[in-house]
Amino acid sequence: MYTTIESFLANWAYEADGTQKLLDVLTDASLGTSAVADGRTIGRLAWHIAQTIPEMMGHTGLQVAGPGEREDVPAHAADIANGYRTAAAALVEQLRALAERQAAIVRSELQ
């Protein structure tokens, strides 16, 4: 369990970097591949990962830029990787801003 935003962000940096590396090596040809018959394609799974960041954070009240949950799976792997990159970075920005707002509240209460 995380007790500070900074501890989450330290772990997020590691996890987001690994995910980004994976998404960056996908090819357009690989997007239609499925591990099992009638299963989700690699493209759908990858896009779901990118879409989930803004969608889930929206439930917390944070407005994180990135792919919308109703957007279709892009035909190009680079678009999926870029969508994830945008959402992952936007989450960091939003959480750092939240931490700063919280710190300002604490500082004002201590004065």
Side-chain angles (χ1 to χ4, degrees):
M1 179 162 86
Y2 300 107
T3 56
T4 66
I5 291 174
E6 286 304 317
S7 66
F8 171 81
L9 288 174
N11 187 245
W12 177 256
Y14 173 79
E15 297 295 341
D17 182 60
T19 302
Q20 189 67 62
K21 286 177 181 174
L22 175 68
L23 295 176
D24 285 342
V25 299
L26 292 179
T27 64
D28 293 350
S30 71
L31 298 182
T33 304
S34 180
V36 296
D38 297 326
R40 290 183 179 183
T41 64
I42 289 173
R44 179 68 199 108
L45 291 169
W47 192 234
H48 174 70
I49 292 168
Q51 290 174 308
T52 297
I53 298 169
E55 186 261 328
M56 293 302 289
M57 293 301 97
H59 294 296
T60 71
L62 293 176
Q63 298 302 309
V64 174
E69 62 183 299
R70 291 186 176 31
E71 291 182 31
D72 291 335
V73 178
H76 301 289
D79 294 335
I80 294 172
N82 288 334
Y84 180 82
R85 185 175 291 107
T86 296
L91 175 58
V92 171
E93 290 173 16
Q94 288 291 312
L95 290 176
R96 288 197 192 285
L98 176 62
E100 183 53 39
R101 287 192 304 273
Q102 290 176 336
I105 291 168
V106 170
R107 283 191 302 271
S108 72
E109 290 176 356
L110 294 175
Q111 294 178 349

